[in-house]
Amino acid sequence: MARHALSLFIKIALFVVVMLIVAKVVPYDGLVNSITGLFDFQSANKFTHFILGEPDLEAWESLGDYFSILINTLISVPGMSAIITAYSVVTHKVSPAGVPREWASSTLRRFAKIFGFTFLFWALFRLLPYQSVFPDQTYSNFTMAAIVGFQLLLTIVCYWFITKKITTKRSLIAPARISTKL
């Protein structure tokens, strides 16, 4: 268990480092500006309202930030997969002929995990009635940190539960397939 947690921590730290390097090295500001240029103020406001659940006074800046994070993630995930695949090749876990397949599958798997976790975080944030628990419209820094921390913890627990159920279902189905082939 501790080894699994350490491996997860190392992968998260590596992903943060790769994202920071991509943000510093790769010039994608022009791409972000061209994408946000496709939106007028009303459509930008609708887009940010859909994400936040309330009107955003700075829709243009938020829209630029959202697309910047999205593009950074779209660049960082294949980069991180390449680093981990190279590590697997060096430690002889993967044959050199299987490198492209290993890289592609790990990239797609990471994209699915990030999309699922982000969607779960967003859905729980939109569905949970935080306004009834915290009726005040202005929140202190401590209150915001507590809300985000609770939301992140709740998302991690739900994500773990979902992946555990998927793994359990898959392990129950796999022996049945093997026994029918014999």
Side-chain angles (χ1 to χ4, degrees):
M1 178 70 178
R3 186 175 180 175
H4 179 69
L6 181 63
S7 173
L8 179 64
F9 177 75
I10 290 171
K11 287 180 183 177
I12 290 171
L14 178 64
F15 186 65
V16 168
V17 169
V18 169
M19 283 189 78
L20 289 173
I21 291 171
V22 166
K24 203 69 161 159
V25 174
V26 178
Y28 55 85
D29 292 333
L31 180 61
V32 171
N33 292 336
S34 66
I35 292 173
T36 56
L38 299 174
F39 289 85
D40 61 350
F41 183 75
Q42 285 182 336
S43 59
N45 200 17
K46 286 180 184 178
F47 189 82
T48 56
H49 183 272
F50 175 73
I51 292 173
L52 295 175
E54 60 186 33
D56 189 4
L57 299 176
E58 299 174 353
W60 288 107
E61 289 82 13
S62 297
L63 191 68
D65 291 342
Y66 296 153
F67 282 114
S68 180
I69 291 170
L70 178 66
I71 292 169
N72 188 315
T73 303
L74 290 174
I75 296 169
S76 299
V77 168
M80 182 178 157
S81 292
I83 292 169
I84 292 175
T85 302
Y87 176 76
S88 295
V89 168
V90 169
T91 59
H92 305 294
K93 293 181 182 175
V94 176
S95 68
V99 170
R101 182 179 174 156
E102 177 70 22
W103 174 79
S105 67
S106 68
T107 300
L108 292 175
R109 200 171 48 248
R110 283 185 179 83
F111 274 130
K113 287 178 181 179
I114 288 173
F115 174 74
F117 191 84
T118 304
F119 178 76
L120 188 61
F121 183 88
W122 173 79
L124 288 172
F125 197 73
R126 291 289 304 268
L127 294 176
L128 293 176
Y130 284 113
Q131 293 81 12
S132 63
V133 177
F134 301 104
D136 189 16
Q137 290 296 324
T138 56
Y139 303 117
S140 67
N141 290 339
F142 178 76
T143 305
M144 283 303 296
I147 290 172
V148 171
F150 174 75
Q151 180 68 26
L152 191 57
L153 182 64
L154 184 65
T155 305
I156 290 169
V157 168
C158 290
Y159 182 80
W160 174 82
F161 182 74
I162 290 168
T163 56
K164 189 75 167 170
K165 284 293 183 186
I166 290 171
T167 306
T168 303
K169 292 267 188 194
R170 208 178 330 155
S171 66
L172 290 176
I173 293 171
R177 287 186 191 161
I178 292 171
S179 64
T180 58
K181 290 181 180 179
L182 296 175

